[in-house]
Amino acid sequence: MFQDIAPHRLDNQFHGPRTPRFDDFVVVYHDQHVLLDQAQTLPRWTAVTQTWAVTPAQATYLLTIDQTAIFLVTAPVSETARYRYAPISALRRLTPQWLGFAAATAAQLGW
């Protein structure tokens, strides 16, 4: 099942302010679409800051899976050759499976 992510563990409790780390994932939504890279996965924080000059102040912590956080960026982000918006249903096909579940959960928190 989609939500079966063991042995990974989702934590969506608020733990105070958190600054994104280079390997954390980022969700960006626009018109019921999510930004994905060419490999059909969420972009990492490093890529987002390098591609669009997004700052930590523009990122909202949503949740973690194990030690990897997922942040919401609400700043306007345009498509590039490497990053395109896909329908939200594409989250079901993300690999690894735990990332798809985390991204779908983040979508519910980030609307």
Side-chain angles (χ1 to χ4, degrees):
M1 301 288 300
F2 184 61
Q3 72 277 9
D4 294 335
I5 62 170
H8 301 285
R9 185 172 181 176
L10 183 140
D11 180 5
N12 64 351
Q13 294 181 359
F14 182 73
H15 298 286
R18 179 172 175 166
T19 301
R21 296 184 302 214
F22 73 97
D23 62 340
D24 286 334
F25 287 102
V26 176
V27 290
V28 180
Y29 300 110
H30 178 70
D31 282 341
Q32 302 293 314
H33 286 72
V34 62
L35 190 73
L36 300 176
D37 69 12
Q38 290 173 330
Q40 294 297 293
T41 192
L42 294 176
R44 299 278 187 161
W45 177 250
T46 300
V48 170
T49 59
Q50 292 172 355
T51 305
W52 295 282
V54 172
T55 66
Q58 295 171 298
T60 302
Y61 167 77
L62 296 176
L63 55 88
T64 58
I65 296 282
D66 301 328
Q67 300 301 313
T68 304
I70 297 182
F71 285 83
L72 173 68
V73 169
T74 57
V77 171
S78 56
E79 292 182 320
T80 68
R82 183 175 176 189
Y83 297 97
R84 299 279 182 196
Y85 284 98
I88 293 295
S89 61
L91 298 178
R92 291 187 157 275
R93 296 182 297 278
L94 292 186
T95 56
Q97 184 176 349
W98 64 261
L99 182 58
F101 179 69
T105 303
Q108 299 302 312
L109 296 173
W111 286 129

